[in-house]
Amino acid sequence: MSGGPVDIPDQNDPAVRAAQEERLQQVWAPPRGLFLRWTDTNNNAVGIWYTVTAFGMMLFAGVLALIMRAQLAVPDNDLVSASTFNQLFTLHGSMMMFLFAVPMFEAVAVVLLPQLLGARDLPFPRLSAFGYWSFLIGGVFVAGSIFFNAAPDGGWFMYPPLATDPELTGIGADIWMLGLSFIEVSSLAAAVELIVGVLKCRPPGMRLNLMPLYAWYILVVAVMILFAFPPLIAGDILFELQRLLDW
């Protein structure tokens, strides 16, 4: 098979470079429109969503703590009932750990890691977006339960046998475990994204021993999350089986 000579564009031609940059900008442009903007998968957008949501969860948990402090401010206070106080205590601890501490680490890492490695984005942008939306759904379940008097009241650690008895804890523990499962899946998705990002998105010449220190920190914590959260998910499943089937 024969053909004529192929014209290879001159990469040093300013017009060629401008056309290439324009096509690249079109590929990486964020979605337009009121609803389509929430389908964005760019790490900067997802990281900002993560940060704002986690910070909002921290403020909400802080309000719960203030209510508890107000209840304890004077003796014989009747600001909230004993049952509501237990719900506030449990929800505050759960939110600060699972809806602020871990997600905030992921939020900052999603924003900073590509810049630390000189990459344009993380390796699986849709996985980052999936992790955020799972986190948001789980957070709505967990945090919103307090408005329906259905928040968990067994302590944020949920130790058996108190928390495994549905007659003592009601539906609150079930809602807590449902929301927590979404949050744990979100953390696993973020951990996989960050680990692969550190290992596969480094620029040429940046070996592991030459990475910025914060990139090492992201890698180590992401590996810890990857190993720590599957047992938590298994524990949630076994916990719910105990409550539903009296295992």
Side-chain angles (χ1 to χ4, degrees), residues 121-175:
D121 203 341
L122 293 171
F124 309 120
R126 287 179 175 83
L127 186 62
S128 295
F130 169 78
Y132 168 74
W133 291 111
S134 295
F135 161 62
L136 180 62
I137 292 172
V140 169
F141 270 99
V142 174
S145 61
I146 191 69
F147 297 107
F148 301 94
N149 196 30
D153 58 359
W156 72 270
F157 33 77
M158 283 291 176
Y159 284 154
L162 173 63
T164 52
D165 190 343
E167 295 182 0
L168 294 177
T169 55
I171 198 175
D174 302 293
I175 296 175

Side-chain angles (χ1 to χ4, degrees), residues 6 13 20 41 54 57 62 94 103 112-113 121 142 146-147 150 158 179 181 190 192 204 209 218 235 238 241:
V6 178
D13 188 349
Q20 291 175 339
T41 58
M57 294 295 180
S94 300
L112 292 184
L113 185 60
D121 203 341
V142 174
I146 191 69
F147 297 107
M158 283 291 176
S181 298
V192 171
N209 62 321
I218 291 174
L238 294 174
L241 288 175

Side-chain angles (χ1 to χ4, degrees), residues 205-222:
M206 181 186 284
R207 299 187 299 275
L208 284 175
N209 62 321
L210 298 178
M211 284 196 313
L213 183 60
Y214 194 77
W216 263 110
Y217 166 73
I218 291 174
L219 177 62
V220 171
V221 176

